[in-house]
Amino acid sequence: MARKTKEDAQATRNQILDAAERLFDTQGVSRTTLQAIASEVGATRGAVYWHFKDKADLFNAMMERIEWPMDKETLCRQDPHSLLLKLPPLVALRNVILECLRSISGDGQVQRLLNICHYQIEFTDDMSSVRERMLQAHKNFYERHLMAFSHPKVAPKLKHGFCPELLSSVLKNAILGLISTWLLEPESFDLVEVGDSTMDLILHGAGLDPALARMEDSSACPLLQHKPLTGKHASDVSSAH
């Protein structure tokens, strides 16, 4: 029997991840065994264990195959050439959120993986690392909002009774809730359009003029494009995850 090449091993690994994504999405994570994943690709369970130490390891590898919308913004902020760094805080925040919503609504794989995370997983002890990863993503999302609303050109304009922390929490939960609702029935509303209106309503309620978060032709501006990072910038991003 010919020895498998590195390319063969990588192809098998990708097939296992593809099968896991399909089965997790259709029958749930807890109800999908490693044996079922192996059978889906015509391999043995030992072959699965050769690539992944357990289901949580496989799950995390599956999630890491795509560039998550919110991770793009982190990379941009580490890129000294990013247009995002040159924008007013509310304009940058609005465009980051809308670009993330566009990425979700326009990418079927991102939608499947988000659906798995929201509706097809039980956070049992063996999946605790997955839960921690999601909580960290939510924390990063909140802190991104807080950075904008705490800016010295924004915070003094907040209506009495509002503070940057409260507003950041409200917007974070509104957008995450919007995504969760949309995943159940994507055809029911336009995620980007409703997300945009949701931000306007929240900003207006907090005493901020929504126009402050807009710039001409901002919807066509590729804010979340970034150059590959090297050296210190790349290590900073790696340590953040």
Side-chain angles (χ1 to χ4, degrees):
M1 180 181 295
R3 176 179 295 180
K4 281 193 173 183
T5 65
K6 186 178 295 185
E7 290 77 15
D8 290 335
Q10 184 62 44
T12 299
R13 185 178 189 273
N14 288 335
Q15 289 171 1
I16 292 170
L17 291 172
D18 288 340
E21 184 178 316
R22 290 193 301 270
L23 293 177
F24 289 161
D25 188 41
T26 56
Q27 62 189 40
V29 176
S30 63
R31 293 187 295 276
T32 300
T33 64
L34 293 182
Q35 180 61 60
I37 294 170
S39 299
E40 180 78 3
V41 296
T44 64
R45 191 170 65 171
V48 176
Y49 277 113
W50 192 85
H51 290 280
F52 309 101
K53 64 180 182 180
D54 53 28
K55 188 189 290 188
D57 185 38
L58 188 156
F59 187 95
N60 283 323
M62 179 189 73
M63 302 296 283
E64 289 169 359
R65 290 203 296 172
I66 65 168
E67 184 177 42
W68 285 97
M70 291 302 173
D71 288 342
K72 293 181 184 179
E73 192 265 346
T74 300
L75 289 169
C76 282
R77 291 208 158 266
Q78 296 291 335
D79 180 358
H81 303 290
S82 172
L83 175 61
L84 200 62
L85 298 173
K86 304 174 184 178
L87 296 176
L90 293 183
V91 173
L93 177 62
R94 175 182 177 272
N95 280 275
V96 163
I97 291 176
L98 290 185
E99 184 61 29
C100 290
L101 296 180
R102 290 188 192 102
S103 296
I104 293 169
S105 63
D107 191 319
Q109 186 177 30
V110 172
Q111 293 169 30
R112 284 193 301 275
L113 295 181
L114 285 176
N115 184 67
I116 292 169
C117 288
H118 282 80
Y119 298 113
Q120 298 284 30
I121 187 171
E122 296 178 3
F123 292 115
T124 52
D125 289 343
D126 60 332
M127 300 298 287
S128 60
S129 64
V130 177
R131 179 177 182 274
E132 290 303 315
R133 179 175 177 171
M134 290 184 65
L135 290 175
Q136 184 62 49
H138 290 181
K139 180 181 178 183
N140 292 344
F141 196 32
Y142 166 82
E143 290 178 349
R144 177 63 187 82
H145 293 20
L146 185 61
M147 181 171 62
F149 294 131
S150 298
H151 193 279
K153 292 184 178 180
V154 177
K157 298 178 181 179
L158 294 178
K159 184 184 296 185
H160 178 71
F162 281 85
C163 63
E165 292 78 8
L166 173 61
L167 188 53
S168 300
S169 181
V170 168
L171 183 56
K172 179 204 78 170
N173 290 319
I175 297 300
L176 292 179
L178 192 66
I179 293 169
S180 295
T181 301
W182 181 84
L183 287 169
L184 288 172
E185 194 176 6
E187 301 81 13
S188 61
F189 62 89
D190 186 300
L191 181 61
V192 178
E193 182 179 324
V194 175
D196 193 14
S197 298
T198 298
M199 281 187 285
D200 282 352
L201 287 170
I202 291 174
L203 292 176
H204 181 74
L208 298 172
D209 182 356
L212 296 175
R214 297 180 180 275
M215 60 181 284
E216 187 175 357
D217 294 328
S218 62
S219 63
C221 191
L223 296 179
L224 298 191
Q225 292 183 2
H226 62 86
K227 298 178 180 179
L229 301 181
T230 59
K232 180 179 183 299
H233 295 305
S235 62
D236 288 346
V237 173
S238 297
S239 62
H241 294 281

